[in-house]
């Protein structure tokens, strides 16, 4: 099976991190197709950037959806996820969603640990969007600058581990999620220093995408995720316009 | 004061309806500045279109925000609202938000009545986003086609009134909101046929925008709605790029 | 338009503070009619006093409702609000309700900051009554005595600002509400020392009352806020008895 | 032990019904002291009347609290309950509260069945006030007039039983509460015609009051139910004024 | 009346503590029938032990239910409670449930204070099972070892009182529940050192069982707590098998 | 990898159905190890049977856990799931949990459709236990007898499909879960007759178990799912006793 790894950020180095984390757990026969956003911001870190990045994710899916069996939107706040699930026929998995649902099977409440304060409110709203507020023990954010988004996981590894340890002791988290695309792959490196299961967001998303492909769900032709009826568009990217117009 | 009436749909006739409804309740001295989306879809009616339309709303705000005192995003599902509130310094009001908060002061639970089934799920998620699920008695949707989005309120007036009446009797609604930009201005015409207060979405939004301007709130320099730090962008509309880059 | 400013406390000096805060934001043509409770307690600060003060507010409304276009119950816990909305035909706004709904348009979560510990539980129950628990970042109360209720806002200004600042940092509040009638008008004085928008309760209530009058909502003749059928009474204040008996 | 049966309605015949229902389950040695409201309305049936009736309940408690070991506020919506619990030293039980808590021990979700549509919204808000919304299967109200409030339980017995039966089948109620003081004592008469446990509101309240007296809880000197500090009053009933002023 | 005091732990000394606490508040004419689990663990302290202990409680009830009028499952997490209520005809009360419902009548929010960290998550899930999360101010657990489960209440009395005092000040608890069967009877000893009402779990449960017996509720023949239809069993304890098979 | 398929029912024919459904989606290299409960009931259908069956599931896991990489508790209400996750070191997945989490990735709200009314309340409590009430559109139960539990899916196929179709239209479900072990494998047969994705409970559980094994989560040594400290036992099944006693 072919799974689209859609990075809605413009930073190619993050795509490479995500790809490595995905390949580390991929099943035999899974081909991962990475794409990096051709426009947008280097890394999404708030509501405005997620609004824009989610729209760009739809443009990217319009270009690629018919060549893959499923897609992962590989930014932690799941920009454009529900929109994508409505507009396209293939399963689409959000990286935050997959990490959180996976964490639910490993404990009662999960903590989200991330590398920048700006990400917290966006992640919080993502937790709420998925209806998982009651399963979330809290969001812990690093409150200091970093040098390079592509290397932030190496630079901040020690303090991120400390945040995770505090989440276990102070927030009574049963599971830890290391959140934010630039942290993809970090879980494996630090798991033994954190006394509860640590979920890698990209690993979880890849396995969930594989699971959905295996289960072969049909596209809804009723309910709130059926494809919208054709509608005219003005000034949209051409593949996206074609999808909306049913051309 | 000057208030931007931002229609994220591309249909100019809807803008005119919104403008008329706003002018009907505007205070002396309020100038309304209508703008219609230069790109997008004729009327937003689902998650995917709202994702795209919300990003376009940000582009429009980036063009106009510095010439007005406040803005109304005049589509009922509030596309781009939280993003706009984060990115810009002026108060930004959502038409759904304003209608619901106003309705809260007129009763315990409000019903949302609209003209197309496709709108329901999007509106429901909007209610949840605002944390008002407990105040919403239900969403009633007309389940039949219409001829012309610009004339849907005349064409369907009778059945919409019937839906509203049923919402009062069957859902125990204390207040009715007639929802969806194409219905702007309808409330005044049908109010006497519905036995509870009927809120006009645009009227409510205009009054709330005026109220916020009068109260002169400062832009947050802390909390989750402070303006994000400058960040590079790639391929975004120029005014929006400038705003994100702090140029 | 004429708006009744109903102070359910017996302290005339608080009425004057409220009046000044209201006049500071009133629209051209708005006439504010202040009344002070003829019986009750100097300032309501708990459940028992609110039960009594709410009943007195109904007596006051029975005296004045037919001479005004709307009323504000100007105590932060909204004593008697739902009862008033049921019994009378004009819009009635609660000061807590108006402040909280206004705050909802300025951020995600608001903090309530007040000057006495006794007020906290009552305010908390008010937040719950309005279904806004999910939008409230917390209630911060000053925990020290004061000399004179009429001057408490000058006496405690510095510590109240500190509480507000802590609410922003520690509770992640996006908006601050300075709560309790004796603090009316304080927001404008301290807004620049608090890094998020500060809502003045009386200012918000006055603008919401104006908005409702402009929108001309009808009195419900169905739903849970229709006027109750006539019923005999025994020993009630005469205007209130007349209203209940439909005399 | 002595338990005050406080009827906040002015109808003596309802007090007698309540007394009979209480005596039917009272323990050996329990003396029930019935009092009927000296002012107010014949029977409370909405928010406004509950606001007034709750204040009157406080006046009645101020007169009688020091001669009894506990009190029951014997109207289903629990008017003045939290206020009474704050202001007085003895345990005070609400009839709705007691019925609902008792029902929680007999099943998962209880239905509330009552004799008049006007009562529904008030009861609903009472359920919410107690935080028991998740345990309530619904409120069913008789939608037809009655001849005499004192005889409504005989007049409407058959239709009330039908409503209860429908609540079991259609709302999946595990327990039924027959609500509204005029229905006191009806549960015992109809229990065998309803296929789930039926809770008598007055019976439950009396047993809960007895239980609290037996457990000898202390009056809080901290927390939100400690007695408020003394405060001056103006124009209140003399016993109530004395209690508030700590005289 | 006869009330079964069912200790699902195997420690006879705890049964004696429970019995003493029950007898201290029992009404004249109440006979308490204590039984100790014949198999299981000395004291249940987590999810796995509660799963097992709940099944054992059903075996014990199958042996004894027809000789008593009601039963109390006397472990704080209420192991097997809903199952017992479904399977047997007599009222069954949980010790946690009874303590929490009783606490609801004494304040707004209760704190649960217990003697071992392992108990916290189980108790938390019990609070959630009863739908009382909104009424719970928090769970405070002693975080240190103890010498002998049968004497833990004497050994740790001072620190448990301190935890309770902190719950009042820091968690704003209106009521304190001393939780865990080994603490039965402690409430009476320490009540005067804690400034809010303290509920004894066994005392509350006994009084609630008495109340239910007095109210004579019928066994449901409909709804979700009707007795399941007969079904074959394999390898179950003989009395339990007989009950399930309707023999 | 080896995955234990633990059927807590005693009906071997159901185990075979479950096994076939699991094998239909298993990855290359996954070995499924089926075990049927040696004692209990033919099929669990309520709270009491789940209490007993969950304890038996623990006995079965104690026998088999050290020979597999993960386990699935293959009854829809997840009997013993949280207990198992606490007591053992391998990942344990519940069939209801897996189906619901998988459904969350395919739509907004899922409907649960099952073959017997008795199952509804147990499933509802399972939904609540997982904190997914907000994602559940409702539970639809067949309300008629069946001939043979092992053949119920063939016998009732047509009416189950009708229930699913009604759930889509009337409950606005985006996804359907066919629930109850005897329905394992039915989803694939009927998927094209239901206009939204249909999740097979066993297929979902198998894929989730595989995903967890691939992600290699560590066993918690802290948090609420760490293994309890050793404790003595009395009269328990020997492997379970050994596990609890750390022998």
């Amino acid at each position: 099976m072919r799974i689209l790894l859609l990075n809605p950020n413009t930073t190619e180095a993050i795509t490479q991190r995500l790809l490595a984390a995905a390949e580390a757990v991929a099943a035999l026969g899974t081909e991962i197709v990475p794409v990096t956003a051709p426009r947008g911001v280097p890394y999404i870190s708030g509501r405005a950037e997620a609004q824009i990045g989610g729209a760009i994710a739809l443009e990217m899916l319009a270009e690629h959806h018919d060549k893959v069996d499923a897609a992962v939107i590989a930014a932690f706040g799941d920009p454009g996820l529900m929109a994508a699930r409505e507009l396209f026929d293939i399963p689409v998995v959000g990286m935050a969603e997959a990490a959180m649902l996976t964490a639910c099977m490993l404990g009662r409440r999960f903590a989200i640990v991330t590398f920048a304060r700006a990400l917290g409110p966006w992640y919080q709203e993502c937790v709420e969007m998925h209806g998982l507020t009651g399963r979330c023990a809290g969001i812990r954010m690093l409150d200091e600058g970093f040098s390079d988004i592509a290397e932030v996981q190496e630079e901040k590894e020690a303090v991120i581990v400390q945040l995770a340890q505090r989440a276990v002791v102070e927030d009574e988290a049963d599971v830890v999620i290391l959140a934010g695309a630039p942290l993809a792959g970090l879980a494996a490196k630090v798991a033994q220093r954190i006394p509860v299961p640590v979920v890698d967001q990209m690993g979880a998303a890849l396995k969930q995408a594989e699971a959905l492909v295996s289960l072969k769900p049909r596209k809804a032709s009723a309910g709130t995720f059926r494809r919208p009826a054709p509608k005219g568009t003005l000034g949209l990217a051409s593949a996206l316009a074609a999808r909306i117009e049913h051309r």
Side-chain angles (χ1 to χ4, degrees), chain A:
Chain A
M1 70 181 76
R2 289 164 58 86
I3 294 178
L4 185 70
L5 191 171
L6 186 167
N7 179 8
N9 298 308
T10 61
T11 307
E12 174 63 25
I14 295 178
T15 311
Q16 291 308 314
R17 291 228 179 239
L18 290 162
L19 181 58
E23 286 177 338
V25 300
L28 219 70
T30 296
E31 180 187 351
I32 303 167
V33 181
V35 292
T36 304
R39 63 188 196 94
V41 293
Y43 59 100
I44 298 174
S45 57
R47 298 175 185 101
E49 293 163 14
Q51 181 75 46
I52 298 163
I56 292 168
L58 296 183
E59 295 174 8
M60 295 166 73
L61 274 164
E63 292 279 0
H64 297 281
H65 73 100
D66 54 3
K67 296 166 223 125
V68 293
D69 298 296
V72 172
I73 296 181
F76 193 78
D78 296 343
L81 177 63
M82 296 301 165
R85 204 164 269 166
E86 179 188 278
L87 196 56
F88 298 100
D89 296 348
I90 55 170
V92 184
V93 173
M95 200 157 74
E97 175 190 53
M100 293 191 289
L101 297 181
T102 301
C104 283
M105 293 182 287
L106 294 166
R108 193 79 201 140
R109 298 198 312 151
F110 53 80
I112 293 173
V113 175
T114 189
F115 64 94
R117 180 152 295 274
L119 297 161
W122 176 35
Y123 290 177
Q124 180 61 45
E125 286 168 27
C126 181
V127 174
E128 290 166 13
M129 178 183 76
H130 288 293
L132 293 171
T133 309
R135 301 296 295 267
C136 179
I139 300 177
R140 292 212 167 230
M141 300 156 279
L142 196 53
D143 206 7
E144 51 183 62
F146 55 85
S147 314
D148 176 358
I149 188 68
E151 306 293 335
V152 68
Q153 75 170 251
E154 279 80 10
E155 182 183 351
K156 301 295 181 189
E157 181 179 309
V159 280
I160 286 169
V161 168
Q162 283 167 20
L163 278 184
Q165 290 166 339
R166 287 180 53 195
V168 173
V169 174
E170 296 173 21
D171 304 338
E172 302 186 326
D174 292 317
V175 189
V176 165
I177 297 169
L178 300 180
L183 302 189
L186 180 59
K189 285 185 251 172
V190 301
Q192 293 312 315
R193 277 175 276 158
I194 297 170
V196 298
V198 181
V199 172
D200 186 78
Q201 52 192 340
M202 185 66 236
L206 195 276
K207 296 313 288 182
Q208 294 299 349
E210 287 180 351
L212 291 183
V213 174
S214 297
L215 293 170
K216 302 192 183 65
R218 58 165 297 169
K219 168 66 179 181
S221 65
T224 81
F225 285 92
R226 69 186 179 288
R227 184 178 177 192
K231 187 178 282 189
T233 69
L234 192 67
L236 300 188
S238 76
L240 181 58
R243 181 75 192 163
I244 293 173
E245 299 180 14
H246 287 219
R247 281 191 282 115

